[in-house]
Amino acid sequence: MSKFDIIQSKIFSNKESLEFNQKLAFWNFKNKKIVFTNGCFDVLHVGHIKYLAKAADLGSILIVGVNTDNSVKRLKGESRPINNQDARSTVLAALSFVDAIVFFEEDTPYNLIKLVQPDILVKGSDYKPEDIVGYDIVKNKGGDIITIDFVEGYSSSNIISKM
């Protein structure tokens, strides 16, 4: 298996993917501490990398929910995404500390979080924990909701406006 094949094996088209559900069952069987976060990750930058690395440090498995292209368009406008979902997911999956990328078509990852049942739910510190989508799911199972500070000066929108 080539390195690119290994990267591609971390990407799942949706939460109904048999391969994703098998991996999830295996991780749960092995009592792995699952961390979940999500986003568009349109133009990957150092802020994203630091955020994802900190999220990964919180557990043993990092699952990243990624908005599909249609979902990004609804949330960010017709000019987005800059990079399509295949490009965005491939770059994210190349990060050694990311264990799985799962696309979601909805505007929020609520149904994906319900399926994953993460031990830890992570978002940026611009959110109050109780306002984070999936808070109720994770709290009900006794998990933690953690916010991570952004790296000052880095955002996809700022980078796009500079271009």
Side-chain angles (χ1 to χ4, degrees), residues 130-141:
E130 59 275 8
D131 293 337
I132 295 171
V133 169
Y135 173 92
D136 58 327
I137 296 167
V138 176
K139 274 298 178 190
N140 285 340
K141 77 165 280 191

Side-chain angles (χ1 to χ4, degrees), residues 11-152:
I11 302 170
F12 303 95
S13 59
N14 60 57
K15 66 186 182 303
E16 285 85 27
S17 163
L18 176 62
E19 294 84 4
F20 175 66
N21 282 284
Q22 288 173 332
K23 275 195 174 193
L24 191 56
F26 177 77
W27 293 328
N28 282 315
F29 175 74
K30 292 290 193 177
N31 292 315
K32 299 290 186 181
K33 185 184 269 190
I34 296 175
V35 178
F36 179 89
T37 193
N38 68 282
C40 298
F41 300 101
D42 191 6
V43 178
L44 200 64
H45 52 73
V46 69
H48 288 133
I49 303 299
K50 288 183 176 183
Y51 168 85
L52 291 167
K54 287 178 183 177
D57 283 343
L58 297 170
S60 48
I61 299 294
L62 176 60
I63 298 173
V64 181
V66 174
N67 295 74
T68 62
D69 291 346
N70 288 333
S71 177
V72 173
K73 276 189 190 320
R74 286 193 307 275
L75 295 171
K76 305 276 185 180
E78 281 300 312
S79 64
R80 303 280 295 274
I82 301 298
N83 293 299
N84 68 35
Q85 64 193 45
D86 293 333
R88 293 182 285 127
S89 62
T90 300
V91 172
L92 287 168
L95 300 172
S96 62
F97 47 81
V98 172
D99 297 286
I101 306 291
V102 185
F103 292 117
F104 63 96
E105 182 69 32
E106 306 86 1
D107 291 346
T108 75
Y110 190 82
N111 291 326
L112 179 55
I113 294 168
K114 192 186 295 188
L115 172 73
V116 170
Q117 295 285 315
D119 300 293
I120 300 173
L121 179 60
V122 177
K123 281 301 276 181
S125 61
D126 54 332
Y127 288 89
K128 288 191 283 187
E130 59 275 8
D131 293 337
I132 295 171
V133 169
Y135 173 92
D136 58 327
I137 296 167
V138 176
K139 274 298 178 190
N140 285 340
K141 77 165 280 191
D144 295 313
I145 290 82
I146 296 176
T147 60
I148 295 176
D149 290 335
F150 289 116
V151 176
E152 192 65 36

